[in-house]
Amino acid sequence: ADFFDNPKTLSVQKSCPLAVDRREMTTKEGVVRRSHRYHFIHKIFFDHCAARWLWNALKSSKNTIYDRINMWNARYVTEEREVMHFLVEQLVNSKNRELEEIHLLEMVYASKQTPEYAKAASSAITVLNKAGFDFHNLILSRDLKQVCIPYADMSRAKLPCMDFSGSDLSYVCFRDALLTSTLMVGANLSGTRFAPTSYSMKCRRLV
C-alpha cells in the first residue's frame, strides 16, 4: 500500500498494471479497520500472467507430470480464451516444441487412469490442437481410448482413424474436424458438437 500512497511514485503508478481498492470498516466498538485489495487494471494483464505461469510450469524440467497436472487442473482453458491464445503462441514459437508437446500429451493420457485430471487434459489437448499438432502422424495419439477431455476445443482437428472409445467427450467441439473412421464406441457424447459436413461426420459413434 505504501507504493500507491507515496506521491513520489505517481509517475510509476501510471504504468503499473495493478490498482488498489481501499476499504474502511467501523466495528461496533468504533474501531476503524482499513483494508487494501489489489487487482489488475485490465483483464489482459491477468490473462498474460496466468498463461506465463502455466507455460513455465509446463516447460520446467524441475516439475514432474503431477506438478504440471496440478497447476493446469484449476480450470478449463476454453473458459479463458486469451489465456489459451497466449499458450498456443508460446507453443508455436517454442524452440523445444517437441518436448513441450510430449508434456501436454502426458497430461492427456494421465486422465485415462484419473478422471479428476480432466481439466488439465482438456486444456492440454486444446492447446495442442490450436497449435496445429498433427495427431494423425503420432502413432501413440491414435489410442485416445478412455481419455477425459470435456469442453475441449477440437475444431478443425485432423483425427482420422483415432480411437476415442470409452472417452469423456462431453461438450467437446468437433466443428469442421476430420473424423473419418474415428471410433467413439461407448464415449460420453453429451453436448458434443459436430459440424453438419460430410467429411466430419464419417465416424463410428455407436458401433
Side-chain angles (χ1 to χ4, degrees):
D2 293 340
F3 172 81
F4 292 97
D5 294 330
N6 190 343
K8 296 181 180 181
T9 64
L10 288 177
S11 59
V12 182
Q13 290 179 36
K14 294 178 181 179
S15 59
C16 179
L18 291 176
V20 59
D21 289 333
R22 297 176 176 83
R23 298 182 180 181
E24 290 188 357
M25 181 180 67
T26 305
T27 64
K28 295 180 179 179
E29 294 77 17
V31 178
V32 177
R33 293 183 177 178
R34 296 179 176 86
S35 63
H36 300 82
R37 182 179 179 183
Y38 300 92
H39 62 88
F40 288 101
I41 59 176
H42 195 284
K43 189 175 182 298
I44 195 69
F45 292 110
F46 167 81
D47 293 337
H48 178 78
C49 290
R52 175 61 63 180
W53 184 74
L54 291 172
W55 180 253
N56 289 339
L58 179 71
K59 70 177 186 177
S60 175
S61 58
K62 297 180 181 180
N63 289 335
T64 66
I65 179 177
Y66 300 106
D67 292 329
R68 298 185 188 100
I69 288 173
N70 287 334
M71 295 179 187
W72 278 63
N73 207 44
R75 62 190 307 171
Y76 296 105
V77 75
T78 47
E79 296 178 354
E80 301 290 346
R81 308 300 292 186
E82 293 303 323
V83 173
M84 180 186 71
H85 293 322
F86 278 125
L87 291 170
V88 170
E89 183 179 2
Q90 289 294 324
L91 182 58
V92 169
N93 297 318
S94 175
K95 295 180 180 179
N96 299 312
R97 179 169 177 170
E98 290 186 3
L99 179 60
E100 273 118 31
E101 287 176 342
I102 291 174
H103 289 164
L104 290 167
L105 282 171
E106 286 175 342
M107 288 194 278
V108 176
Y109 290 129
S111 68
K112 290 187 175 189
Q113 301 296 327
T114 312
E116 290 77 13
Y117 296 159
K119 291 179 181 177
S122 174
S123 299
I125 203 168
T126 294
V127 171
L128 282 169
N129 180 49
K130 290 297 182 181
F133 181 76
D134 192 349
F135 294 92
H136 183 60
N137 287 336
L138 188 67
I139 296 176
L140 287 176
S141 71
R142 296 188 183 184
D143 179 14
L144 292 171
K145 291 184 290 187
Q146 298 181 331
V147 296
C148 296
I149 54 171
Y151 298 97
D153 188 345
M154 299 301 289
S155 55
R156 299 181 182 275
K158 297 179 180 179
L159 303 167
C161 303
M162 297 295 170
D163 192 350
F164 285 100
S165 297
S167 297
D168 183 357
L169 305 177
S170 55
Y171 300 98
V172 172
C173 177
F174 283 110
R175 177 175 52 83
D176 293 330
L178 180 59
L179 300 173
T180 306
S181 299
T182 299
L183 287 172
M184 297 184 179
V185 181
N188 180 359
L189 299 176
S190 175
T192 305
R193 289 169 288 169
F194 297 91
T197 52
S198 58
Y199 67 85
S200 67
M201 290 301 291
K202 291 181 180 178
C203 60
R204 290 175 283 171
R205 292 184 283 169
L206 301 174
V207 229

